[in-house]
Amino acid sequence: MIGLLKHLASVPLAAFLLVYDAVEALFRRLVLPAIAALAKAPVFVRLGRAIAALPPYAILVLLLAPFAAIEPFKYIGLYWLAEGRLALGVVTTVAAHFASILICERIFHVGRSKLLTIGWFARGYFFLTGLRDEALAWIRATWVWRASGALLRRVRNRLRLLIRG
């Protein structure tokens, strides 16, 4: 019975994660070149060095402040989408993801080594990333994920053929 429930639950979960993963990958591909270019700007290079020079707990506070301000907007955007306010929801969600990548991930990237010197932070970080990796491995092992991936590859190949003419 538990096996059947897991199997049934895997279908919508795998579908949701497939869509979320695809959108996230597309968004990152579009945004990361802009962020990489910004990261090379002299002002951001100096900012990165200044952040990296801070003590671990100062970096943590510097990371948590924008995170706490930005993350709720991702969910507010999803709420607006669910309410039918499409333009507002899309703009809010995209802006929040862009700001999160630009600010929070940048701070984490330059301060990661020092943040991981904080014992409880490192344990939590590795626990959560391990949990995420296990969940993704489980989802990616389901037949729904494999079938969806195969379907997406076929669609992509056909689109390539159509574009090339």
Side-chain angles (χ1 to χ4, degrees):
M1 182 65 174
I2 299 278
L4 177 63
L5 288 175
K6 270 183 146 178
H7 182 69
L8 291 174
S10 71
V11 173
L13 186 58
F16 172 77
L17 286 175
L18 179 68
V19 170
Y20 185 83
D21 199 37
V23 170
E24 182 78 15
L26 177 64
F27 186 75
R28 283 187 178 279
R29 282 190 176 168
L30 295 173
V31 171
L32 284 180
I35 290 172
L38 280 173
K40 293 177 185 173
V43 68
F44 287 110
V45 170
R46 285 192 301 277
L47 251 162
R49 285 188 193 130
I51 291 168
L54 292 171
Y57 280 97
I59 295 171
L60 182 62
V61 169
L62 196 59
L63 175 65
L64 290 178
F67 182 81
I70 294 168
E71 283 303 305
F73 284 99
K74 293 179 181 180
Y75 300 104
I76 291 169
L78 291 175
Y79 173 76
W80 283 335
L81 284 170
E83 288 287 312
R85 300 167 77 183
L86 186 63
L88 186 59
V90 167
V91 168
T92 302
T93 303
V94 168
H97 274 83
F98 184 78
S100 179
I101 292 170
L102 180 64
I103 299 167
C104 298
E105 286 195 28
R106 199 71 207 131
I107 292 169
F108 182 77
H109 177 74
V110 298
R112 182 177 187 262
S113 60
K114 284 194 178 174
L115 287 169
L116 292 177
T117 65
I118 302 171
W120 62 266
F121 183 90
R123 285 188 300 278
Y125 174 77
F126 290 120
F127 172 76
L128 289 174
T129 55
L131 198 59
R132 177 205 61 205
D133 293 345
E134 285 180 32
L136 286 173
W138 176 72
I139 292 297
R140 289 178 177 151
T142 64
W143 68 270
V144 174
W145 186 272
R146 291 189 308 272
S148 301
L151 176 64
L152 285 174
R153 282 189 294 280
R154 285 195 305 272
V155 168
R156 186 175 46 224
N157 290 337
R158 289 194 185 185
L159 286 173
R160 283 185 186 146
L161 289 173
L162 286 173
I163 292 171
R164 289 181 187 161

